[in-house]
């Protein structure tokens, strides 16, 4: 348990110091990083992500909905102008991009895994 926690803390420090883009580029250069990247973008990786993180993904969707609803309500009450696309959106822009990307997966292949 402590070694896992130490590894997570080291990853967080590296992410904070170098930034996510640079960290991803450097990790992908290693043989293990290449294999992990292939796994992550493959159906097995997506199936594992779905099984392990489904409660977190559902919670993220609910929190995104609540945040967007609150933002629209506060903006309209304060008289702050919003674009029509922001006002009509159900989720935050980042969550919308995430769920659109997940929606475009080949679900038959992911569920079979």
């Amino acid at each position: 348990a402590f070694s896992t926690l130490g590894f997570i803390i080291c990853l967080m420090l590296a992410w904070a110091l170098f930034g996510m883009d640079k960290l991803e580029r450097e990790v992908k250069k290693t043989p293990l990083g290449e294999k992990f990247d292939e796994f992550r973008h493959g159906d097995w990786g997506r199936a594992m992500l779905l099984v392990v993180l489904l409660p977190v993904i559902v919670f993220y969707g609910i929190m995104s909905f609540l945040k967007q609803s609150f933002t629209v309500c506060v903006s309209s009450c304060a008289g702050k102008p919003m674009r029509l696309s922001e006002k009509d959106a159900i989720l935050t822009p980042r969550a919308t991009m995430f769920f659109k990307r997940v929606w475009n997966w080949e679900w038959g292949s992911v569920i079979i895994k």
Side-chain angles (χ1 to χ4, degrees):
F2 289 113
S3 61
T4 305
L5 181 62
F7 179 71
I8 291 172
I9 290 172
C10 287
L11 280 178
M12 289 171 53
L13 285 173
W15 178 56
L17 291 174
F18 303 116
M20 191 62 172
D21 294 333
K22 185 174 181 179
L23 190 61
E24 275 188 36
R25 282 194 307 270
E26 293 300 320
V27 168
K28 285 180 184 179
K29 289 179 184 177
T30 65
L32 184 62
E34 288 177 9
K35 289 183 180 184
F36 178 73
D37 195 47
E38 290 173 12
F39 175 75
R40 183 177 69 137
H41 292 294
D43 291 337
W44 277 106
R46 291 175 177 171
M48 291 296 295
L49 177 79
L50 189 64
V51 167
V52 173
L53 295 178
L54 185 62
V56 175
I57 293 170
V58 170
F59 181 72
Y60 176 62
I62 291 169
M63 294 305 293
S64 174
F65 171 75
L66 292 175
K67 181 179 187 280
Q68 183 66 19
S69 300
F70 182 75
T71 302
V72 169
C73 180
V74 168
S75 296
S76 64
C77 291
K80 183 178 175 184
M82 289 184 77
R83 292 185 303 226
L84 188 61
S85 62
E86 290 176 336
K87 202 176 269 190
D88 291 341
I90 296 173
L91 302 173
T92 60
R94 180 174 286 173
T96 301
M97 287 186 340
F98 171 76
F99 284 111
K100 279 183 181 178
R101 195 171 349 151
V102 170
W103 185 260
N104 290 329
W105 288 356
E106 289 188 36
W107 280 97
S109 180
V110 171
I111 291 174
I112 289 173
K113 302 293 180 191

